Amino acid sequence: MNRGWWWKFGLIVAVTLGTIWFLIPTYYSLVVMDRDQRNNLALLEERMPSWAPPAKYRLNLGLDLQGGIHMVMRVDTKTALQKRTERRGQQIASYVNDKKLGEVTSDTDPEKLQLTLTAKDPATMDAIEKEVLATFTDFTRVSRSGGTLVLAPDEGQTNFFREDAVNQAMLVIRRRIDKWGVAEVDVRKLGTDSIQISLPGRSNPEQAKELVGTTAQLEFRMVDDTNPQFFAQMFQQNPPPQGSNITLTEEGGFPQLSSPSREALLEYVKGKVPDNRVVLTECIADPVRKNDCAAYRSYLVEENVPLTGESLAGADASLSQLNEPEVNLAFDPAGAREFEKLTEAGVGRRMAIVLDDNVHTAPNINEKIGGGRARITMGRMGARTFEEWLGEAQTLALVLKAGALPAPVTVGEIRQVGASLGDELIKKGGMAALLGMGLVLLFMAAYYKKSGIIANLALVLNGLLILAGLALFNATLTLPGIAGFVLTLGVAVDANVLINERIREELGHGKTARAAVDQGYDRAFWTIFDSHVTALIAAFILFFTGTGPIRGFATTLIIGLLASLFTSIVVTRTFMTYFVHGRNAQTVSV
Amino acid sequence: MQILKNKTNIDFIGKRKPAVFLSTIINLAIIVGIAAFGFNLGVDFAGGTVVELKFNHSITAEEVRQRAQKGGLEDVSVQNIGGADENSFLLRMGGVTQLNEESATKARAAIEGLGNVRNVYPDLANGIVNFRSATALTPDAIKKAVEGTGTGVQEVRELGEAQGGGFDYQVVASGMADKVYSALGQGLEKPDFEQRRVDYVGPQVGKQLRNRGIMALLYSMVAILIYVAFRFDFKFGPGALLAMVHDVIMVAGYYLVTRREFNLTSIAVLLTVVGYSVNDTIVIYDRIREDMAKFKGKPFAEVINIAINDTVGRTILTSLTTALSLIGLLIFGVGEIFDFAAAMLVGIVVGVYSTIYIASPLTIWLDERAAAKEARQAGPIDQQPKAA
């Protein structure tokens, strides 16, 4: 055999071994590990031999196979925009009246999202129009006739607002899921106004409903720091049970309890809290997986809620004169009065900003704050980068707004599969795949003899490559994906049928075995190439337009077709060449 | 072993006229059928709720339906899935939320009974009722009032003070799945069934999914057509396209005739058929191109017939291997996966047929027309051999 052949042979051996090596995490995750521990990557890493690939390269099972919930929420940005336009209209009207430019009333057209300002005295409208357009730059002029001015929200502003509303909703949903402590959650934006949520392994519809349910509850509560050592004393007098993982930490002179489990922490403090006080927790973000909570820390707050998000008119992140990020709050008139009263009484104490029972932050009240405007500074930069620091301010502003400006969220789609059904589908899907593959293997071996067996080897390698490819790209194997897997094997073997038929034909023309094999591969190559490309075109379009399980189908098809080009042409040809060249054979078994 | 022992010499092309005629009739019948009867649209496209239940004892579909009706679920279809001993059922309901025209009217009356209420807008599609009240109300009171009419309430939202006085509220109705659970579990201490799967698709999302599916089909056909035109001669393009359209219509016919559910997976099947159907066409086109060079001077139709005869064995074989791989899915696949395999099988068979009797005749016809046009322009003497 010549050098080029050995190179190819080496490549095939390397690919085969690499593929098998790469499937180790998949094997451990699906076969060795317990079914509940499938997604526990740390444990998986521990179980596998040290030379195995990283645990994250295991084959993910789709929600339809492992059980779980797939949801699409639609953020009703239209309603939110209507409310906003209405609110702005009121603000414009009161601005005009305050400035003594005249007297106007505002009216909102909810369908067109337009604002109609009508002046009591049409003569004042010229001045009003000029002032309003100069001040409220988020509105543009649509038309004007006499004392009536029609305004529409600026498109850029509207889009920004829409995006903002979806981001807020996403944040709220994220936090609620975090509260359940589910790992492997995927929350992403879908299109312009939808949010897709994937919760593997969770099959309790009640909890899924909770997600869609009530809009975020934002509260301002006073932290009880009358006894700064409260948690330290509790910890010493009633040490937490063994193995509960509850520890005592201290930051800024206030000892806190800390635990990786929120439930455990709340269970421990139960009954140890004075009257009119409650313990709330703060989520300490995991340094690596920022969306997960590494620990929960305790706060003792007053039960009474003096101020809620309803009183908040707006929140924005900005940079102070010292170039430090800060969050500016604005309260409505009633909220402003309440806030002033609260801060006056609470100078030197901390005020907890609580969203959905999670303490987000607890800034110190430095002075009495009047005028309905407040500022939350973000502390020292410390080890954070500036972007992170500013990002925290923006997140906080979002959190605050999320409570203040709820855009209604409705359910677009829920697909929920129970874990037992998932198991059954895996079993049935596996059997279907094995049977289909077995039949193809049998047929090829019987019909084409030795070259059939070579094609079969390539086919098995193709199957392994698909699985490894799915694992490599962190794609998920879904039920339609299994169907795609089976179909791809059928298509992959087509290529070898084409080649072998061509070889037979060339032999029929009286060519030698060697020439027939070469001709067979050369002539069939473009046919195979073309047919794979057309199938790939359809698969890619399916991939880009499909969602959920269908996307899994497309992924499997794409990887399978690419793998098939390699296995059915390169791999089989290398072996066929060995049989006709290596042994100087005059015949070939096709 | 060999399926076709000797080289065949069948006059495929000679029978093209009756075949094309027959295909046209069948295709038109399917299109008319789709227009007249429509598909049995699944929740993916129609919107609605599907709940899969597994009972822990033996029960028939009729009994399940009766129990559902007794629990207050009127429009529900119950279908047995899996083996008879599995006691698994699919319950399908049109609505996604408990708000329908009738219950919305009742809910509206209840809300209006709460006091000075205006602007009550039920939004059936989203299962929401919006209204404005002159006085502030408590969400609990609203919830109680609406639930009193038999509509489950998931939540009452306070939308805040309205411009020009009054308070806005939004009542969100519960989903149908909850109703199934409570209707079937009525009077039982512990439900004797397990809710294994819930699919719920809102009507707007359904429409969106449907449009996207149709667009995907069109895009892929155009993209494949461009590729074929680029790789082969342009005159091969229309034949490949028509063959694809034919195959898609035939597979759609499977869903039409069997009344099996047409859903997202069905779109995936149609797209796969588009990609697969053109495979056979390409195999023959490749051979036609090769034979055109080999048999210069022979009439085009004859060259095509030779090419078809040369490749018919392998076309049958490749289809056979693909079909073999699907057998497992036909045996073990339930629901949409069974349909996937069955529809693919239809696609494979019609794919072979359309290559021979749709793609090839159209290519011949186009060629003849082009030749005739050329002849008219150049005069009869100058006529070139078509296959050159």
Side-chain angles (χ1 to χ4, degrees):
Chain A
M1 298 312 305
N2 64 23
R3 202 166 222 224
W5 188 89
W6 283 108
W7 272 113
K8 270 190 218 154
F9 184 72
L11 176 75
I12 294 165
V13 172
V15 167
T16 310
L17 290 179
T19 308
I20 293 171
W21 174 74
F22 206 77
L23 285 171
I24 293 173
T26 302
Y27 174 76
Y28 270 82
S29 132
L30 295 184
V31 182
V32 179
M33 306 261 289
D34 289 340
R35 112 166 268 305
D36 321 335
Q37 296 294 330
R38 248 179 222 160
N39 292 323
N40 188 340
L41 290 185
L43 188 68
L44 180 58
E45 197 80 70
E46 212 172 278
R47 286 278 198 89
M48 286 190 305
S50 56
W51 44 268
K56 69 170 177 173
Y57 291 121
R58 79 202 188 297
L59 182 59
N60 279 312
L61 292 182
L63 293 182
D64 53 346
L65 289 183
Q66 62 168 309
I69 303 176
H70 161 97
M71 271 187 281
V72 177
M73 315 275 206
R74 291 166 63 88
V75 181
D76 188 357
T77 51
K78 199 176 159 198
T79 305
L81 266 171
Q82 283 168 1
K83 296 293 284 184
R84 182 190 129 94
T85 311
E86 241 178 55
R87 237 187 354 256
R88 290 296 274 171
Q90 268 177 312
Q91 281 167 5
I92 292 173
S94 63
Y95 176 85
V96 170
N97 299 346
D98 284 354
K99 283 245 163 181
K100 311 241 181 303
L101 293 168
E103 207 174 310
V104 294
T105 52
S106 87
D107 196 29
T108 318
D109 178 343
E111 272 315 303
K112 287 196 212 143
L113 273 185
Q114 282 176 353
L115 211 59
T116 310
L117 296 179
T118 316
K120 213 170 185 184
D121 176 7
T124 58
M125 202 59 201
D126 284 337
I128 293 172
E129 178 182 342
K130 211 171 139 211
E131 179 71 19
V132 166
L133 286 176
T135 315
F136 296 88
T137 48
D138 52 339
F139 280 86
T140 53
R141 182 176 174 278
V142 177
S143 66
R144 157 89 195 274
S145 69
T148 321
L149 174 67
V150 181
L151 298 174
D154 177 71
E155 204 164 308
Q157 287 280 338
T158 309
N159 289 341
F160 177 77
F161 178 80
R162 205 174 265 144
E163 216 169 280
D164 209 36
V166 177
N167 286 340
Q168 283 173 39
M170 261 177 84
L171 191 84
V172 173
I173 289 170
R174 250 259 77 106
R175 297 201 154 255
R176 287 195 187 160
I177 297 174
D178 286 350
K179 214 160 78 177
W180 305 343
V182 190
E184 298 274 315
V185 193
D186 183 38
V187 179
R188 64 176 67 176
K189 210 188 266 185
L190 196 72
T192 52
D193 59 355
S194 299
I195 302 168
Q196 179 186 300
I197 304 149
S198 304
L199 295 167
R202 185 156 286 269
S203 55
N204 182 355
E206 291 304 310
Q207 278 196 306
K209 253 171 46 197
E210 187 190 322
L211 208 59
V212 210
T214 38
T215 42
Q217 280 301 315
L218 173 67
E219 297 164 351
F220 297 89
R221 291 178 182 234
M222 298 307 294
V223 179
D224 184 359
D225 288 328
T226 43
N227 176 8
Q229 297 303 315
F230 175 75
F231 286 115
Q233 285 164 3
M234 184 197 288
F235 192 78
Q236 277 141 24
Q237 284 159 17
N238 288 300
Q242 288 283 319
S244 65
N245 274 335
I246 296 174
T247 52
L248 197 65
T249 59
E250 194 178 312
E251 211 172 274
F254 299 109
Q256 287 175 302
L257 298 173
S258 174
S259 163
S261 157
R262 186 174 187 264
E263 286 71 30
L265 188 60
L266 294 180
E267 183 61 37
Y268 166 62
V269 298
K270 215 176 188 178
K272 305 184 183 71
V273 181
D275 283 349
N276 304 325
R277 298 287 182 271
V278 285
V279 170
L280 294 178
T281 57
E282 179 188 4
C283 158
I284 308 296
D286 190 295
V288 187
R289 292 151 55 119
K290 294 221 154 71
N291 287 319
D292 288 339
C293 297
Y296 295 88
R297 289 194 187 154
S298 61
Y299 283 86
L300 185 67
V301 299
E302 290 182 8
E303 197 174 33
N304 167 38
V305 181
L307 200 57
T308 69
E310 275 172 60
S311 309
L312 197 67
D316 288 296
S318 64
L319 289 175
S320 72
Q321 283 158 342
L322 295 170
N323 215 25
E324 288 173 354
E326 56 183 25
V327 177
N328 300 298
L329 307 181
F331 290 95
D332 64 13
R337 279 194 298 279
E338 187 61 38
F339 194 69
E340 185 173 347
K341 236 168 64 195
L342 260 179
T343 49
E344 184 174 15
V347 172
R349 292 178 63 189
R350 291 185 293 166
M351 180 191 268
I353 297 173
V354 184
L355 188 77
D356 279 339
D357 286 347
N358 271 301
V359 175
H360 189 83
T361 171
N364 240 318
I365 301 171
N366 296 326
E367 62 206 348
K368 170 183 132 178
I369 302 165
R373 300 204 156 263
R375 215 173 63 225
I376 304 171
T377 51
M378 301 307 295
R380 297 243 188 86
M381 185 159 106
R384 298 172 278 196
T385 64
F386 185 75
E387 280 69 34
E388 282 172 349
W389 200 24
L390 182 62
E392 274 174 39
Q394 282 162 342
T395 311
L396 179 58
L398 267 184
V399 167
L400 293 169
K401 274 200 275 188
L405 304 166
V409 176
T410 52
V411 185
E413 217 180 315
I414 294 184
R415 291 167 194 277
Q416 178 214 331
V417 171
S420 65
L421 181 62
D423 283 348
E424 204 176 296
L425 291 178
I426 294 180
K427 217 166 96 192
K428 281 188 173 162
M431 290 207 292
L434 282 179
L435 180 63
M437 196 161 167
L439 287 172
V440 172
L441 293 178
L442 267 178
F443 175 79
M444 288 299 282
Y447 196 77
Y448 290 117
K449 316 273 163 36
K450 230 183 254 170
S451 32
I453 292 169
I454 291 172
N456 284 345
L457 286 177
L459 193 64
V460 173
L461 178 60
N462 190 357
L464 293 177
L465 273 172
I466 295 177
L467 295 179
L470 286 174
L472 175 66
F473 294 115
N474 255 317
T476 43
L477 184 68
T478 59
L479 184 59
I482 294 181
F485 178 83
V486 173
L487 182 70
T488 314
L489 294 184
V491 175
V493 85
D494 277 7
N496 289 110
V497 171
L498 285 178
I499 293 165
N500 289 344
E501 284 299 303
R502 192 77 208 212
I503 294 174
R504 281 186 177 182
E505 200 181 313
E506 299 297 334
L507 284 172
H509 290 156
K511 291 210 170 100
T512 64
R514 232 176 125 141
V517 167
D518 281 346
Q519 288 268 310
Y521 275 94
D522 287 344
R523 289 262 167 90
F525 175 78
W526 283 108
T527 311
I528 294 168
F529 183 81
D530 286 337
S531 65
H532 276 69
V533 169
T534 48
L536 273 171
I537 290 174
F540 269 107
I541 286 173
L542 193 57
F543 178 81
F544 286 116
T545 54
T547 51
I550 298 301
R551 219 176 167 146
F553 170 77
T555 315
T556 315
L557 217 55
I558 291 169
I559 295 174
L561 288 166
L562 291 176
S564 153
L565 272 178
F566 172 71
T567 55
S568 55
I569 298 176
V570 180
V571 174
T572 59
R573 184 168 193 171
T574 306
F575 286 107
M576 288 294 275
T577 313
Y578 175 79
F579 281 111
V580 290
H581 281 223
R583 299 175 174 182
N584 254 333
Q586 289 305 305
T587 56
V588 57
S589 155
V590 285
Chain B
M1 203 200 298
Q2 217 166 336
I3 284 185
L4 297 165
K5 271 274 184 287
N6 303 308
K7 208 162 194 180
T8 56
N9 191 12
I10 307 165
D11 183 16
F12 288 107
I13 293 304
K15 297 180 192 75
R16 70 180 190 265
K17 278 184 181 138
V20 168
F21 178 73
L22 197 67
S23 300
T24 313
I25 297 285
I26 295 177
N27 273 273
L28 284 178
I30 291 171
I31 292 172
V32 170
I34 291 171
F37 304 106
F39 290 116
N40 177 15
L41 289 181
V43 280
D44 290 347
F45 297 137
T49 307
V50 170
V51 179
E52 184 178 331
L53 299 177
K54 188 178 167 80
F55 286 83
N56 58 16
H57 57 85
S58 167
I59 189 166
T60 66
E62 185 50 33
E63 282 166 340
V64 174
R65 207 177 58 80
Q66 278 171 2
R67 242 169 85 175
Q69 257 172 359
K70 231 168 52 199
L73 270 176
E74 295 298 334
D75 277 329
V76 59
S77 83
V78 180
Q79 182 198 344
N80 201 335
I81 54 163
D85 53 333
E86 283 181 43
N87 298 310
S88 291
F89 300 91
L90 273 188
L91 275 68
R92 294 227 271 153
M93 285 141 290
V96 286
T97 73
Q98 299 186 18
L99 210 61
N100 55 32
E101 222 141 307
E102 195 195 328
S103 66
T105 318
K106 282 191 203 155
R108 185 188 185 130
I111 290 170
E112 278 167 348
L114 286 170
N116 195 352
V117 172
R118 295 171 282 143
N119 305 352
V120 185
Y121 292 121
D123 173 357
L124 299 187
N126 284 312
I128 290 173
V129 183
N130 286 316
F131 69 94
R132 184 167 288 180
S133 165
T135 52
L137 300 168
T138 66
D140 277 346
I142 300 170
K143 189 171 174 174
K144 225 164 141 188
V146 176
E147 283 190 333
T149 66
T151 302
V153 174
Q154 189 182 304
E155 151 183 48
V156 174
R157 293 167 175 168
E158 293 171 281
L159 298 182
E161 222 166 311
Q163 179 189 11
F167 300 84
D168 285 345
Y169 296 94
Q170 186 173 62
V171 180
V172 183
S174 302
M176 282 307 263
D178 292 344
K179 197 154 185 178
V180 170
Y181 204 79
S182 61
L184 285 171
Q186 211 176 38
L188 295 174
E189 206 173 288
K190 215 175 124 215
D192 53 351
F193 56 87
E194 181 196 351
Q195 203 160 303
R196 303 185 86 187
R197 181 166 75 99
V198 176
D199 275 5
Y200 159 115
V201 177
Q204 276 135 342
V205 175
K207 214 184 274 167
Q208 217 175 323
L209 290 174
R210 186 164 50 190
N211 292 343
R212 261 167 65 178
I214 294 169
M215 287 323 285
L217 265 178
L218 291 179
Y219 288 149
S220 52
M221 283 192 191
V222 170
I224 289 173
L225 181 68
I226 290 171
Y227 182 79
V228 170
F230 163 76
R231 283 280 299 140
F232 297 86
D233 193 286
F234 180 73
K235 70 182 166 201
F236 287 110
L241 178 70
L242 200 67
M244 274 192 277
V245 173
H246 167 267
D247 295 351
V248 166
I249 292 177
M250 292 299 278
V251 176
Y254 164 81
Y255 285 99
L256 178 75
V257 172
T258 58
R259 303 313 288 162
R260 303 289 295 193
E261 200 174 282
F262 192 82
N263 50 30
L264 279 175
T265 310
S266 317
I267 292 280
V269 172
L270 292 182
L271 267 166
T272 314
V273 165
V274 164
Y276 186 84
S277 120
V278 80
N279 270 5
D280 291 337
T281 314
I282 281 176
V283 171
I284 291 189
Y285 277 5
D286 251 354
R287 185 49 79 100
I288 293 174
R289 199 163 52 174
E290 200 184 317
D291 287 354
M292 262 161 55
K294 213 152 79 187
F295 303 108
K296 264 186 197 166
K298 270 201 187 182
F300 193 48
E302 213 171 294
V303 174
I304 288 187
N305 206 47
I306 294 171
I308 294 175
N309 273 298
D310 280 352
T311 52
V312 71
R314 80 192 50 170
T315 304
I316 291 171
L317 273 174
T318 52
S319 304
L320 188 71
T321 50
T322 312
L324 274 180
S325 69
L326 293 173
I327 286 180
L329 293 176
L330 279 175
I331 295 176
F332 293 111
V334 271
E336 55 189 315
I337 295 304
F338 173 86
D339 290 328
F340 169 90
M344 266 316 292
L345 218 53
V346 174
I348 290 168
V349 173
V350 299
V352 174
Y353 168 83
S354 70
T355 299
I356 298 173
Y357 282 114
I358 304 287
S360 305
L362 187 67
T363 313
I364 294 170
W365 185 71
L366 282 174
D367 184 75
E368 279 170 355
R369 236 179 58 143
K373 202 171 155 198
E374 206 173 284
R376 263 204 314 279
Q377 276 167 358
I381 308 148
D382 251 328
Q383 200 177 335
Q384 295 289 316
K386 289 159 209 144

